[in-house]
Amino acid sequence: MIIIPQTKGGVGKSTVAMQVIAPYLYKKHGKKVTYIEIDDENNDSRSFTRTEIVDKRMLRTNKLTELDELILMDDNHEVIVDVGGNKTSSLVLEEIKKVGSFGNIKWIVPLGDGELDGKNAIATLKKIKKIEQNLDHNVFFALNRAISMDLDYIEEQFINFFGHKYLDSNSVICDLIKEPKYFPVKNDKVITMSRYLGSTVWEMAYNNTDFAAKAVRAKDLGDIESAKKYLFFRRIQTEAKDYVLGTLNKIFYDLDNWLDIKK
């Protein structure tokens, strides 16, 4: 099971869950994975109305005991749990602490580049520490909305994660874990586009629709508006492929080295 908690809302948990982890596990297992969203206030996964890589279900905080059996049974990481921010993450972590992880949980903690994001990531990590004995191996951090994939730029953008020798950044993740595992998630408008289309970037990239041919056919029929529409979707398809090649495949490689998935 892969659990994605954060005590702060708005840090991109659903982006990490749906745009990164869901396609990775779908590709790895060759079948739909179970996607559980725990949030009494917001249902971010509802934006993905056309995705075909997950089976979605909601779990209310008054039903958290249902997690116990799921954790015990999912030793091959076929379940993603997207945990809401604020009080919800605290409730979920408290519930898991009661029964333990059975060694079946991998944790992904997302954070943006704001100072408050860093403080809440540390607060989340401290709660996970009460459950997880091997933080160094079983916790991964997702650095969300990265402006560049260049390492030097990432280290300066996410001072709240790496710290900086010339700037006072107080407590940072690297103070708690010597060499924390992380992957940057590059910010790109194609992510926004995919949500409006109800799909994931990965699925858009591997959509077999030949929009170029459709555009030519519409032009030949004199339907210029439809031709423009198909050109638009062709461009989005190309941008999605570029995002998969430039960002997602690198993350998938890192996840391969992290997860022990039975073949």
Side-chain angles (χ1 to χ4, degrees), residues 19-258:
Q19 302 282 17
V20 179
I21 305 304
Y24 171 76
L25 292 182
Y26 176 83
K27 181 181 177 184
K28 202 71 177 173
H29 292 296
K31 63 181 181 179
K32 286 186 177 183
V33 294
T34 300
Y35 179 100
I36 298 174
E37 185 171 9
I38 306 177
D39 197 331
D40 292 338
E41 299 175 356
N42 301 301
N43 305 142
D44 290 338
S45 68
R46 287 184 179 175
S47 298
F48 299 93
T49 55
R50 296 180 180 176
T51 181
E52 297 182 357
I53 61 176
V54 299
D55 286 321
K56 293 185 291 185
R57 58 175 287 200
M58 290 295 303
L59 185 64
R60 298 294 179 183
T61 53
N62 62 354
K63 299 287 186 179
L64 288 181
T65 54
E66 293 182 20
L67 273 179
D68 302 347
E69 182 179 344
L70 286 169
I71 293 170
L72 175 64
M73 301 303 294
D74 184 31
D75 58 359
N76 199 26
H77 306 305
E78 296 182 25
V79 178
I80 305 166
V81 181
D82 177 5
V83 185
N86 305 316
K87 188 179 179 180
T88 302
S89 276
S90 297
L91 289 173
V92 169
L93 294 174
E94 283 296 321
E95 174 61 31
I96 296 173
K97 187 174 71 171
K98 295 175 185 177
V99 296
S101 69
F102 305 104
N104 291 345
I105 296 178
K106 294 288 190 179
W107 309 86
I108 296 180
V109 180
L111 69 157
D113 57 9
E115 184 178 5
L116 189 58
D117 289 35
K119 289 180 178 179
N120 279 277
I122 289 172
T124 304
L125 184 62
K126 288 179 176 178
K127 291 179 183 294
I128 293 174
K129 192 174 182 180
K130 295 178 181 178
I131 306 168
E132 180 58 60
Q133 296 181 352
N134 193 350
L135 289 178
D136 290 350
H137 182 67
N138 289 330
V139 178
F140 224 128
F141 295 89
L143 308 185
N144 259 331
R145 305 183 184 100
I147 298 172
S148 167
M149 297 298 281
D150 179 77
L151 179 59
D152 290 339
Y153 198 106
I154 290 169
E155 289 182 349
E156 292 202 344
Q157 181 183 353
F158 293 93
I159 293 173
N160 60 0
F161 184 85
F162 298 98
H164 197 287
K165 63 180 179 181
Y166 298 133
L167 299 174
D168 181 12
S169 51
N170 299 316
S171 180
V172 296
I173 297 296
C174 286
D175 293 336
L176 302 179
I177 300 180
K178 187 176 180 181
E179 295 183 357
K181 295 179 176 63
Y182 69 91
F183 56 81
V185 182
K186 189 178 180 183
N187 195 23
D188 196 292
K189 66 179 173 64
V190 75
I191 293 176
T192 303
M193 292 290 187
S194 74
R195 291 179 72 95
Y196 277 100
L197 292 170
S199 184
T200 64
V201 173
W202 188 84
E203 287 172 279
M204 288 164 52
Y206 289 100
N207 183 322
N208 292 323
T209 303
D210 190 341
F211 290 112
K214 283 180 173 289
V216 171
R217 193 175 303 116
K219 182 204 71 171
D220 291 343
L221 292 172
D223 188 352
I224 304 305
E225 191 56 39
S226 291
K228 290 179 179 179
K229 179 182 73 174
Y230 292 132
L231 283 176
F232 168 79
F233 285 120
R234 170 63 175 163
R235 184 169 65 251
I236 296 301
Q237 185 183 55
T238 301
E239 290 175 352
K241 289 179 180 178
D242 289 343
Y243 191 83
V244 169
L245 292 174
T247 298
L248 291 184
N249 282 352
K250 293 177 182 178
I251 296 174
F252 290 178
Y253 177 81
D254 289 338
L255 291 173
D256 273 339
N257 291 329
W258 181 50

